[in-house]
Amino acid sequence: QVQLVESGGGSVQPGGSLRLSCATSGYTYNFKFMGWFRQAPGKEREGVAAIYTRNGGTTYYSDSVKGRFTISQDNAKKTVYLQMNSLEPEDTAMYYCAADQWLSARYALAPGTYDYWGQGTQVTVSS
């Protein structure tokens, strides 16, 4: 049974940093794509960052987080991280980790294309 478990969320002041982790289990190999998504109350789920886990790890970012967030992987630990710097109140949301073995790169930030999801971790940015 595939499981994705996120951790690292919390409350932080604007300008602060958080590091989210997503540990996967129940799958023999590393998933081809891992992504981070977020959903704020009353809004649709949106793609934040994704990584192609093979061949050095091509990364993908939404315009809203580019330059502030960094996605990385530890294949030995089957874990993906999201380092979030210069956090803004607009970054407040539930953050979800997702994994997929088959999607194409053009859909790396499309939430509807991922097969496996974690339970989410809350990030609140407020003064």
Side-chain angles (χ1 to χ4, degrees):
Q1 180 181 357
V2 173
Q3 285 191 315
L4 280 67
V5 179
E6 302 100 331
S7 61
S11 296
V12 65
Q13 292 186 341
S17 298
L18 284 173
R19 187 195 195 205
L20 306 183
S21 299
C22 173
T24 65
S25 62
Y27 194 74
T28 303
Y29 306 102
N30 290 308
F31 285 98
K32 189 170 83 168
F33 276 94
M34 298 289 297
W36 285 98
F37 299 81
R38 67 187 181 187
Q39 188 166 19
K43 294 188 176 181
E44 293 187 353
R45 190 170 297 187
E46 63 170 342
V48 173
I51 186 167
Y52 175 68
T53 65
R54 316 286 167 77
N55 299 330
T58 303
T59 56
Y60 307 82
Y61 297 96
S62 68
D63 289 343
S64 61
V65 307
K66 200 172 294 182
R68 300 188 297 123
F69 291 10
T70 302
I71 188 171
S72 62
Q73 61 181 343
D74 185 331
N75 284 344
K77 295 182 179 179
K78 293 188 176 181
T79 299
V80 173
Y81 305 96
L82 184 68
Q83 177 67 42
M84 306 186 295
N85 299 328
S86 302
L87 282 162
E88 304 168 352
E90 293 74 22
D91 296 316
T92 296
M94 185 71 79
Y95 282 71
Y96 298 90
C97 174
D100 198 273
Q101 185 60 19
W102 305 109
L103 63 82
S104 299
R106 69 180 70 181
Y107 301 118
L109 293 178
T113 58
Y114 282 75
D115 283 340
Y116 301 100
W117 291 84
Q119 80 289 351
T121 184
Q122 178 67 37
V123 172
T124 302
V125 184
S126 174
S127 56

